[in-house]
Amino acid sequence: MNIGFIGTGIMGTPMAGHLLDAGHALFVYDRVKVPQVLADKGAHACESSRAVAERSDVIIVMVPDTPHVQAVLFGDGGLYDGISAGKIIVDMSSISPIATKEFAAKIAEKGCGYLDAPVSGGEVGAREATLSIMVGGKQADFDIVRPLFETMGKNITRVGEVGDGQTAKVANQIVVGLTIEAVAEALLFASKAGADPAKVREALMGGFASSRILEVHGDRMVKRTFDPGFRIELHQKDLNNALDSARKLDMALPATALCQQLFSACAAQGGKEWDHSALIRALEVQANHEIG
Amino acid sequence: MNIGFIGTGIMGTPMAGHLLDAGHALFVYDRVKVPQVLADKGAHACESSRAVAERSDVIIVMVPDTPHVQAVLFGDGGLYDGISAGKIIVDMSSISPIATKEFAAKIAEKGCGYLDAPVSGGEVGAREATLSIMVGGKQADFDIVRPLFETMGKNITRVGEVGDGQTAKVANQIVVGLTIEAVAEALLFASKAGADPAKVREALMGGFASSRILEVHGDRMVKRTFDPGFRIELHQKDLNNALDSARKLDMALPATALCQQLFSACAAQGGKEWDHSALIRALEVQANHEIG
């Protein structure tokens, strides 16, 4: 089975590397340039997404956001012009669930399968092949692609039909963002009230307030280590997918909207590249108080 | 050592019971009536808080909110009129950290110690002696009272000086409320977007979105089991302490304020006695969609 891979950035390069290490023939395209490390492992560089599609059975896409996926699929020299019946497109980018359903419907016209399979776990997870992969699409397509997912990740869940993988990823990012907000308000309150936020964090661990975010991001807030990690601008992109989708679905996500505004307040202070735990800085400005 | 206990409600009664079971002489007052179960165990009913204070070395207070503690301490027949140098007052109610510091300062004028020691773990924790106890106050006072805490709870932390126990409890309730909001927005989004919220919840467990709230309250939302648990009206009281204190401290807690409004929206639907995971119902109204 020939595999295509489009988008060899920070995430895509190690992911494609695992597929090559597993012995797959890999046809690769990137808007910028296919990295030397993949060429050294035997990747075949192609001149367009279309060329990748023509030579591959399963084509993986790993690009930043909805418009990039749209361009890869339907732009000039896009996948749509190169695919034929029986091929499967696997979008591992984190994009809009609603756009995903539209893309999949158009791809289905050509008799091709479509899986949305966004990941969480970041650069470290991509490098160590420990990504969580949330998949939407037909069971039969999932069964074919599953061995490829297993070379790239650990926690692989088929959530449901097309779009449901992206929906789960958006839900994940809502929970992560709002839990960061929860921990930030609590620790800042504790500090401003005169308590030691590190002690308060410890007292809260183990009870109903406990979470991975309290553990990891709470510790970052207390120690003020705001190097990413996961950059605020990426979380802004994910919450934009949440809020844009929610508007189209006619529903309110009030705390998600608030969280996005606080990320924007961080950006206003030059914080787009801070780790997302630095959301506390937006609250600190509003409290005229820095914890620690 | 004679122990006083004021406030034998749903929480106070089993807590006082553990002290009696441990063999302590217990002098008890309640505004309503000392329960028969405590009398049967040998508790001495007193006619006022003042009478309790006169006969006890350590006096525990377990009443609903700040005004009740104020009345117990400084009202007619209150503790203040019965204490003398060397006695220790231990307030295990969940009240304002700022008022707590004022109360403690006034009690100190009489040469008495003051510990604030709010608990989490609810009725079940009180009954099973598994409460988490967050303590503020002098180390010497804490050392004296610690054996009593150990008959009532498991996770006992001295967070810092007077008021810091209440501050930690407020921080705990901020985190719990806002994490419920996080899980509610995420699962409602997933459902409205057409995915199965139960599947999405499962996909999110184990990653950065994982928390006790996702585990327990997320499950309640999916199964729609909204019997308390922890009543919305109690969480409203705790968030009121958070927001009232934040105003006095000149700081903004925007998501805490939002969470409080959604609890009020539940109350508007007759939901004061629902479990706090029913916060999702306030969001469901805004989405014209019920998950499940």
Side-chain angles (χ1 to χ4, degrees):
Chain A
M1 191 163 69
N2 289 344
I3 316 294
F5 204 105
I6 294 162
T8 50
I10 291 173
M11 297 290 289
T13 296
M15 290 163 71
H18 295 308
L19 292 167
L20 286 161
D21 291 341
H24 293 288
L26 204 70
F27 297 87
V28 183
Y29 172 73
D30 189 87
R31 207 175 42 169
V32 184
K33 180 184 182 311
V34 173
Q36 191 57 39
V37 60
L38 295 181
D40 291 348
K41 291 187 182 204
H44 306 283
C46 299
E47 73 278 9
S48 68
S49 296
R50 176 183 175 158
V52 169
E54 286 165 351
R55 301 170 75 178
S56 309
D57 306 298
V58 171
I59 305 109
I60 295 169
V61 181
M62 189 63 181
V63 294
D65 204 353
T66 311
H68 309 91
V69 173
Q70 183 159 27
V72 164
L73 293 174
F74 307 113
D76 274 354
L79 286 177
Y80 189 78
D81 296 330
I83 48 175
S84 49
K87 301 194 175 195
I88 303 173
I89 290 176
V90 184
D91 180 25
M92 301 189 75
S93 323
S94 290
I95 71 162
S96 160
I98 294 173
T100 291
K101 291 179 192 183
E102 294 163 7
F103 297 163
K106 218 165 157 186
I107 295 297
E109 291 168 8
K110 287 245 185 171
C112 294
Y114 193 103
L115 297 174
D116 49 305
V119 305
S120 82
E123 202 184 329
V124 173
R127 220 164 39 221
E128 297 177 356
T130 56
L131 293 168
S132 288
I133 308 178
M134 293 156 262
V135 189
K138 292 211 180 78
Q139 183 70 46
D141 294 334
F142 178 68
D143 291 341
I144 293 167
V145 179
R146 187 177 188 125
L148 305 183
F149 290 146
E150 284 168 351
T151 69
M152 296 181 279
K154 278 234 145 69
N155 215 329
I156 299 151
T157 314
R158 180 175 170 262
V159 179
E161 300 304 322
V162 152
D164 290 354
Q166 296 295 354
T167 295
K169 176 67 193 282
V170 168
N172 189 78
Q173 296 304 83
I174 290 173
V175 172
V176 169
L178 273 54
T179 311
I180 287 174
E181 166 95 31
V183 170
E185 290 203 9
L187 295 184
L188 183 61
F189 174 81
S191 176
K192 181 107 181 176
D196 176 356
K199 278 275 177 106
V200 169
R201 175 178 160 278
E202 274 168 46
L204 266 49
M205 305 268 281
F208 269 114
S210 67
S211 64
R212 278 294 301 281
I213 298 294
L214 179 66
E215 197 186 321
V216 176
H217 298 73
D219 192 53
R220 287 180 175 201
M221 292 175 201
V222 168
K223 294 188 179 145
R224 309 196 75 70
T225 51
F226 294 138
D227 296 330
F230 189 77
R231 294 199 303 282
I232 279 176
E233 63 184 341
L234 287 173
H235 214 142
Q236 287 183 291
K237 185 208 78 167
D238 291 334
L239 294 191
N240 185 58
N241 276 328
L243 295 167
D244 185 58
S245 301
R247 193 181 60 76
K248 286 173 180 147
L249 292 166
D250 295 333
M251 71 180 298
L253 294 177
T256 304
L258 173 59
C259 184
Q260 181 77 313
Q261 297 312 304
L262 291 170
F263 281 138
S264 294
C266 288
Q269 295 178 58
K272 278 190 186 179
E273 309 227 326
W274 296 341
D275 182 70
H276 51 173
S277 58
L279 176 141
I280 195 170
R281 282 182 165 159
L283 296 167
E284 287 175 339
V285 169
Q286 295 179 8
N288 194 30
H289 176 83
E290 192 174 289
I291 72 167
Chain B
M1 191 164 65
N2 288 346
I3 316 293
F5 205 106
I6 295 163
T8 50
I10 291 173
M11 297 291 289
T13 297
M15 290 163 71
H18 296 308
L19 291 167
L20 287 162
D21 291 342
H24 293 287
L26 203 70
F27 298 87
V28 183
Y29 172 71
D30 189 87
R31 206 176 42 169
V32 184
K33 181 183 183 310
V34 173
Q36 190 58 40
V37 60
L38 295 180
D40 290 348
K41 291 187 183 204
H44 307 282
C46 299
E47 73 278 9
S48 68
S49 296
R50 176 184 176 156
V52 170
E54 285 165 352
R55 300 170 75 179
S56 309
D57 306 297
V58 171
I59 305 109
I60 295 170
V61 181
M62 190 63 180
V63 294
D65 204 353
T66 311
H68 309 90
V69 174
Q70 183 159 27
V72 165
L73 292 174
F74 307 112
D76 274 355
L79 285 178
Y80 188 79
D81 296 329
I83 50 175
S84 49
K87 300 193 176 196
I88 303 174
I89 290 176
V90 184
D91 179 25
M92 301 189 75
S93 322
S94 291
I95 70 163
S96 160
I98 294 173
T100 292
K101 291 179 192 183
E102 294 163 6
F103 296 164
K106 217 164 157 187
I107 295 297
E109 290 168 9
K110 287 245 185 171
C112 294
Y114 193 102
L115 297 174
D116 49 305
V119 305
S120 82
E123 202 183 330
V124 173
R127 220 163 39 223
E128 297 177 356
T130 57
L131 293 168
S132 289
I133 308 178
M134 292 156 264
V135 189
K138 292 210 180 78
Q139 183 71 45
D141 294 333
F142 178 68
D143 292 341
I144 293 167
V145 180
R146 185 174 192 129
L148 305 184
F149 290 146
E150 283 167 353
T151 67
M152 296 181 279
K154 278 234 145 67
N155 214 329
I156 299 150
T157 314
R158 180 175 169 260
V159 180
E161 299 305 321
V162 152
D164 290 354
Q166 296 294 355
T167 295
K169 176 68 193 282
V170 169
N172 189 77
Q173 296 304 83
I174 290 173
V175 172
V176 169
L178 273 53
T179 310
I180 288 175
E181 166 94 31
V183 171
E185 290 204 9
L187 295 184
L188 183 60
F189 174 81
S191 177
K192 182 108 181 176
D196 176 357
K199 278 273 177 108
V200 169
R201 175 179 159 279
E202 274 169 46
L204 266 50
M205 305 267 281
F208 269 114
S210 67
S211 64
R212 279 295 300 282
I213 299 294
L214 179 66
E215 198 185 319
V216 176
H217 298 72
D219 192 53
R220 287 180 175 202
M221 291 175 201
V222 168
K223 295 189 178 144
R224 308 196 75 70
T225 51
F226 295 138
D227 296 331
F230 189 77
R231 295 199 303 282
I232 280 176
E233 64 183 341
L234 286 173
H235 214 143
Q236 287 182 291
K237 185 208 80 170
D238 292 333
L239 294 191
N240 184 59
N241 276 328
L243 295 167
D244 185 57
S245 301
R247 191 181 62 75
K248 286 174 181 148
L249 292 166
D250 295 331
M251 71 179 297
L253 293 177
T256 304
L258 173 58
C259 183
Q260 182 75 316
Q261 297 312 305
L262 291 170
F263 281 139
S264 293
C266 288
Q269 295 177 61
K272 277 189 185 180
E273 308 227 327
W274 296 341
D275 182 70
H276 51 173
S277 58
L279 177 139
I280 196 170
R281 282 183 163 159
L283 296 167
E284 287 175 340
V285 168
Q286 296 178 7
N288 194 29
H289 176 83
E290 192 174 288
I291 72 167

